[in-house]
Amino acid sequence: MDQQLKVFVTVAEKKSFSRTAEELHMTQPAVSQYIRAFEETMGTRLLERTNKYVRLNKAGEIVYHHAKEIIGLYEKMHNLVDDLTKKARGPLTIGASHTFGEYVLPWIIATLQREYPDIEPEVIIGNTTEIANLVDTHQLDAGIVEGKLLNHHLELQPLGNDFMYAVASPDHPIFNHGNELLELEATKDMVWIAREKGSGTREAMDEMFEQFEFEPVRLMQFGSNQPIKEAVKAGLGISLLSRWAIQKELEYGELKMVKIAGLPFERQFSIITNSPFQTKALEVFTALLRSHQLLRAFE
């Protein structure tokens, strides 16, 4: 890979010539020389730098975005060629949406490390939209997401079903009349606690509301599953969460399932990639993912 490109990306991320020199085991003057040469090649300044800061300008942001994609493609190309004569090993970058990444993926990664210790996994957790964008720009080898995907040119393969349930605090007024089966409309005046837009869990909740032609009076939004569960336990409202996210809380009596007609809501976990070619590391990870007993636990 072109060293100028690597130095530029590192400076952009470290926001420092000295930290870049330390990271790449170079001298600071060498880093400055690479940046000057790269800017001359591009025909414009890419970094604004003073004694106090180093940051990308508008042209630099464009170059940085594409440089990350080029580096990702280069590394993938190198690993694919390397795999022709070697066993599964080397870096493997995996992205996962919050529910899968927080509650399922760690167990699968642990199995991967036991069976293939030469694979070096790196995991990034984000919402479905964020993970799809990183796979699309070749910054991730693969992603595991929930629900539908707007980026249709990515290759999407079903991985397994997930079931989502309405939950509330055991002390929530919705249980005042016992634990009988309710219509969703009975929750109309109650607070529903939701994930942010772009999340697969939020998409499922919106789809459920649309399916039942239901609109809550008030929606409270949080950025991940854990604060949602804490808010529900505190009695702030009701939420729709994956079976994976609520197992312990149901077992310990911290949350209680609300029996609503038409639930649980079913959705799908899928694995997404952006190339027909896969490294051996990705091949064995995908095979392990499909066969792992954890994914079969609720089927």
Side-chain angles (χ1 to χ4, degrees):
M1 183 182 57
D2 189 285
Q3 186 71 1
Q4 289 180 357
L5 203 62
K6 185 175 182 179
V7 171
F8 169 72
V9 167
T10 307
V11 169
E13 292 176 345
K14 297 291 184 182
K15 297 181 173 61
S16 165
F17 280 57
S18 59
R19 287 197 293 269
T20 297
E22 184 179 346
E23 173 77 13
L24 299 180
H25 307 290
M26 302 168 62
T27 64
Q28 190 167 329
V31 171
S32 299
Q33 186 176 347
Y34 272 114
I35 292 299
R36 280 196 302 272
F38 188 51
E39 288 179 327
E40 287 174 7
T41 300
M42 297 304 300
T44 186
R45 289 180 67 85
L46 304 173
L47 297 164
E48 300 298 331
R49 39 199 185 270
T50 69
N51 292 331
K52 294 184 177 180
Y53 64 79
V54 176
R55 63 190 180 199
L56 294 169
N57 59 23
K58 199 68 177 177
E61 289 174 0
I62 294 170
V63 173
Y64 173 75
H65 173 78
H66 290 284
K68 288 288 287 183
E69 186 169 351
I70 291 167
I71 289 171
L73 283 168
Y74 178 89
E75 290 176 350
K76 183 175 290 186
M77 175 190 69
H78 179 80
N79 290 333
L80 284 165
V81 172
D82 201 38
D83 277 349
L84 291 175
T85 57
K86 296 182 179 179
K87 62 179 183 177
R89 60 182 302 161
L92 176 66
T93 53
I94 306 157
S97 51
H98 283 272
T99 298
F100 196 94
E102 292 169 359
Y103 301 102
V104 186
L105 187 58
W107 297 94
I108 295 173
I109 293 294
T111 303
L112 180 74
Q113 288 289 267
R114 283 196 301 270
E115 297 184 9
Y116 300 95
D118 292 330
I119 294 178
E120 304 162 12
E122 178 183 345
V123 176
I124 292 176
I125 307 296
N127 66 34
T128 292
T129 299
E130 291 166 345
I131 296 303
N133 287 339
L134 289 172
V135 174
D136 187 37
T137 55
H138 301 280
Q139 295 180 57
L140 292 173
D141 294 317
I144 300 132
V145 296
E146 311 148 7
K148 298 183 180 68
L149 196 66
L150 297 178
N151 199 335
H152 295 298
H153 72 265
L154 292 176
E155 184 177 347
L156 183 147
Q157 298 179 22
L159 190 58
N161 294 330
D162 183 31
F163 297 91
M164 305 186 70
Y165 298 86
V167 289
S169 162
D171 300 323
H172 194 281
I174 199 167
F175 297 117
N176 286 349
H177 302 291
N179 200 27
E180 71 269 20
L181 187 67
L182 302 172
E183 296 297 325
L184 189 60
E185 191 65 24
T187 70
K188 184 175 179 63
D189 295 327
M190 298 175 183
V191 178
W192 276 84
I193 302 177
R195 284 284 305 280
E196 78 286 359
K197 290 287 186 180
S199 155
T201 297
R202 175 59 177 273
E203 178 192 291
M205 181 180 284
D206 289 344
E207 194 172 325
M208 179 192 73
F209 289 161
E210 184 178 346
Q211 181 179 311
F212 285 90
E213 298 180 347
F214 172 82
E215 187 174 348
V217 170
R218 187 178 174 200
L219 205 65
M220 188 180 295
Q221 184 173 295
F222 287 88
S224 66
N225 292 323
Q226 193 57 42
I228 288 179
K229 290 193 292 184
E230 294 301 321
V232 172
K233 284 192 281 186
L236 288 178
I238 302 167
S239 190
L240 184 75
L241 291 170
S242 165
R243 62 191 178 176
W244 295 105
I246 57 176
Q247 288 180 80
K248 288 184 179 178
E249 287 78 11
L250 290 175
E251 183 182 342
Y252 297 151
E254 297 172 330
L255 292 176
K256 188 174 180 180
M257 201 176 293
V258 183
K259 294 182 179 177
I260 295 177
L263 294 185
F265 183 87
E266 187 174 353
R267 65 175 178 178
Q268 195 171 69
F269 288 132
S270 301
I271 185 166
I272 54 173
T273 54
N274 193 19
S275 172
F277 304 104
Q278 294 189 359
T279 64
K280 285 188 179 178
L282 181 55
E283 283 180 4
V284 299
F285 170 73
T286 302
L288 178 63
L289 201 57
R290 293 187 179 285
S291 64
H292 203 283
Q293 60 182 2
L294 201 62
L295 280 174
R296 312 278 81 84
F298 288 98
E299 292 186 354

